[in-house]
Amino acid sequence: PAVAEPEDVPLTLKEHPTPDDTDAELLLLDSQPDVQRKMKKAFCEPGNAAFCPPLGIACELVLRHGAPPELAVKKNAEDGGDR
């Protein structure tokens, strides 16, 4: 059977990946340590709200199935803390 890729989830974690970058895509069969490593490296570029893989994945996988849909992002004190 064919595997359908969700259209709304950005499985590409970097906007301009290099061909040899193995952490640029989140793959269906990645192990949990691989997913954690890749997600730690994925980030939202300042001023680029159009391409934000962590937020896109969170919206698709967490918010769609939460009741009520809620996502809290907490920042460390050394990063400015929660506001």
Side-chain angles (χ1 to χ4, degrees), residues 19-45:
D20 60 340
D21 190 354
T22 58
D23 289 341
E25 293 183 328
L26 195 59
L27 304 175
L28 183 64
L29 298 177
D30 279 344
S31 65
Q32 181 176 351
D34 288 339
V35 171
Q36 289 174 327
R37 183 187 73 249
K38 290 177 179 185
M39 288 304 296
K40 283 182 181 180
K41 291 181 179 182
F43 67 96
C44 300
E45 295 176 350

Side-chain angles (χ1 to χ4, degrees), residues 9-83:
V9 180
L11 298 177
T12 301
L13 300 175
K14 296 182 181 177
E15 191 167 20
H16 304 290
T18 60
D20 60 340
D21 190 354
T22 58
D23 289 341
E25 293 183 328
L26 195 59
L27 304 175
L28 183 64
L29 298 177
D30 279 344
S31 65
Q32 181 176 351
D34 288 339
V35 171
Q36 289 174 327
R37 183 187 73 249
K38 290 177 179 185
M39 288 304 296
K40 283 182 181 180
K41 291 181 179 182
F43 67 96
C44 300
E45 295 176 350
N48 186 2
F51 186 80
C52 182
L55 186 56
I57 290 171
C59 288
E60 187 67 26
L61 300 178
V62 177
L63 296 179
R64 183 175 285 209
H65 303 288
E70 181 179 1
L71 177 66
V73 178
K74 301 203 180 264
K75 292 171 55 178
N76 294 330
E78 59 265 12
D79 295 326
D82 294 334
R83 297 181 194 180

